[in-house]
Amino acid sequence: MAAPLLENLNPEQLAAVTLPHASALILAGAGSGKTRVLTTRIAWLLATGQASPLSVLAVTFTNKAAKEMLARLSALTPVNTRGMWVGTFHGLCNRMLRAHYRDAGLPQLFQIMDMQDQLALIKRVYKAHNIDDDRFPARTLQAFVNDAKESGLRPNQVEAGDELSRRQVEHYALYEQACNREGVVDFPELLLRSYELLSRNDSLREHYRRRFSHVLVDEFQDTNVLQYKWLQILTGPHTAVFAVGDDDQSIYAFRGANVANMQHFERDFGTAETPVKLIKLEQNYRSHRHILDAANALIKNNQGRLGKNLWTSDARGEPVRAFAAPSDIDEASFIVDIVKGLIDEGVSPAEIAVLYRSNAQSRVVEHALFNAAMPYRVYGGMRFFERAEVKHALAYLRLIAAPDDDGAFLRVVNFPPRGIGARSLETLQERAQAAGTSLWQAACAGTVSGKAGASLASFIRQIESMRETTRVLTLPQAVEHVVHASGLLSHYGAEKDGQDRIDNLQELVAAADSFMREAEREIGEDIGDPLTGFLAHAALEAGETQAAEGRPALQLMTVHSAKGLEFHTVFVTGLEEGLFPHENSLSEYDGVEEERRLAYVAITRARRRLYLTHAQSRMLHGQLRYNIASRFLDEFPAGLVQWLSPQRRDRAAEPMGYGAGVPRAAFRETPGWRIGQSVKHARFGLGIIIDSEGRGTDARVQVNFRDSGVKWLALEYAKLQPA
């Protein structure tokens, strides 16, 4: 029965599937068939009688992956897989807590809160204890609580080093009391309470250790501190732990993933008598050799890797191609031109992906695709003009342009929240309908009384103030003013994961600037009122670029979203210092290495063609940035990458952009300033530092100014300011 399972496995896959009873770390490279190995390992254990369905526990990171694993197992073996413990960490912990709810201190029918439910409970706690949401934003406490739980910490275990932390710990304790009183648990609580249950209950812990003789974990590089501890306490000296992962693809540190778990596995799950077996799956079944050579060359620059080298028996394929664009608009045009050629060659648009580091980068590419009438989909997210924060800002702009727009009014009258409840809005709508007026006119007439009426009056004054202020501003300035004055920036700034939304709001300013520049290039075109024209443009891009149902469409996504996917052709865009690697990574421990792993993931999504692009200037987050090439582009060996842009041909050892011609090794940092930094000068305007020399009063920098060219400036006299 087991023999057919082993057909068509390569030697390393075969060794992993047929390992004897011992813990093993399977270092599975991108495209090496790790899911097949993991599933076949379970099927082989069942088919050979080494395990029963009741003695196997398999952990995946998504419910979809768990369902796919069970479906594959059912196809591979006649053994009934119903009742097997296959699921996510949270799903398996929920199953354990349901079975032992009394020991866990939970009611039998305890309810699980999603993130919105959790936030609502925190707000109820705030109201009950008169906690100021402005001083201690509810979303900030939500992030604090979840981070603490995912580190295995209760309120009395969290160290409070300052007054803010002390107050957050107090609020965490109040929140926990409310959860216990209401019999509800949040997602991190499932894992923490399950861990605590096993920690303090010796007989229960031994029961599960005896029961689960085989524990298999997928995507092991993505486990966090508490998940690792849960696995440790669940497994005993006689449990075979089969961990499959790739330290080179650990890209979720911002979610708590700890790549060090892979490095500690051999120490923590092996013994002197039965050391952990390490097997490397390095044969790649996805990509041509040139693409793998690029991936290997890049990732070898990371320190502390467990180490592997992807290879393929496939052809070398086409060279990796790179393009240095003068601007982000030129970068997008290049992508559209190449995509048109690929489609003419017979490549489906659905097999082409454009990857970017930041969601805000998608706008320029979306606009180019819109102008080219090319269907596209934003994977795992919304198109730029469909994103909630952008639609909120557009609603404020619509009210400035046309205050009788009821749809815009309803969208933002209580966003950010200003104490206008649903009942008050119903009253306003009833009275507006009775009077035959718009909601704006009804609100101006004071038809709602009390606190809600005062809040409505304040909202009316806010819109009128914005309208008056923006009357004398350019369109980009008007959009920027509204984004700030509406309170949207400060609202999203209080959210743990609000930076993407802030970036998109700032990118809306860039969209307005781009709209005006394009309008100016259209000779003789009269766009009338710029704000009205821009709002129409946004509506068209949001509505008319929808791909027809079932029609192949180009895929746009962040690199994080692309993990686990593959495409015929991949464009990795925005390879610039400060963008990819992201500027935040430069100040974080292991930050640049995680960014390099992210670039490695991006490269290994491509099967046949790979394009790497960079823009010398980019309008991003409402600011024009002058860029130098990403350090990652310098890490490819000479000759591996074919440059398509004229300024880069035969100059592969030089950095791109406004610093081109100056070897990176010659760059010298001057205290207070750095190469690649954007600066402004009272006379020469905006520019970017491309070189520096000297110290003290002799220090000077070379700056490439947007409008004035390259100049050397003495820092003592130049009065440069960061841009």
Side-chain angles (χ1 to χ4, degrees), residues 105-121:
L106 290 169
Q108 183 176 8
L109 300 178
F110 69 85
Q111 299 299 304
I112 302 171
M113 298 182 292
D114 61 18
M115 293 292 283
Q116 289 183 332
D117 294 334
Q118 184 189 32
L119 185 62
L121 177 55

Side-chain angles (χ1 to χ4, degrees), residues 519-546:
E520 290 169 2
R521 284 199 296 268
E522 296 292 335
I523 299 173
E525 181 182 0
D526 181 13
I527 63 170
D529 174 52
L531 178 54
T532 302
F534 177 62
L535 291 170
H537 159 78
L540 286 171
E541 284 213 15
E544 294 186 5
T545 58
Q546 302 286 337

Side-chain angles (χ1 to χ4, degrees), residues 93 148-154 157 172 176 187-197 226 230:
C93 287
K149 289 189 177 185
E150 287 173 357
S151 298
L153 302 174
R154 293 295 182 190
Q157 297 170 311
Y172 176 10
E176 195 166 66
F187 278 101
E189 180 71 19
L190 289 170
L191 195 63
L192 179 54
R193 195 168 290 239
S194 178
Y195 171 75
E196 291 171 341
L197 172 66
L226 185 56
W230 184 81

Side-chain angles (χ1 to χ4, degrees), residues 591-668:
V592 173
E593 294 215 343
E594 173 130 345
E595 292 288 300
R596 189 176 285 110
R597 292 194 291 269
L598 195 59
Y600 174 84
V601 166
I603 290 170
T604 53
R605 299 310 94 196
R607 293 199 303 268
R608 295 294 175 262
R609 295 192 190 181
L610 175 65
Y611 292 86
L612 310 172
T613 65
H614 154 78
Q616 294 174 331
S617 66
R618 181 179 301 277
M619 181 69 77
L620 195 63
H621 312 327
Q623 292 186 331
L624 185 63
R625 298 164 45 142
Y626 295 93
N627 309 304
I628 60 174
S630 168
R631 67 192 69 193
F632 300 152
L633 287 163
D634 293 337
E635 294 175 359
F636 299 118
L640 182 60
V641 175
Q642 176 186 336
W643 288 96
L644 303 180
S645 40
Q647 66 266 41
R648 286 290 296 178
R649 290 176 185 155
D650 302 320
R651 297 167 64 181
E654 298 176 5
M656 288 188 292
Y658 285 72
V662 185
R664 188 178 295 278
F667 283 170
R668 294 171 293 278

Side-chain angles (χ1 to χ4, degrees), residues 13-31:
Q13 291 174 333
L14 180 63
V17 167
T18 60
L19 273 171
H21 187 90
S23 292
L25 179 61
I26 312 302
L27 195 59

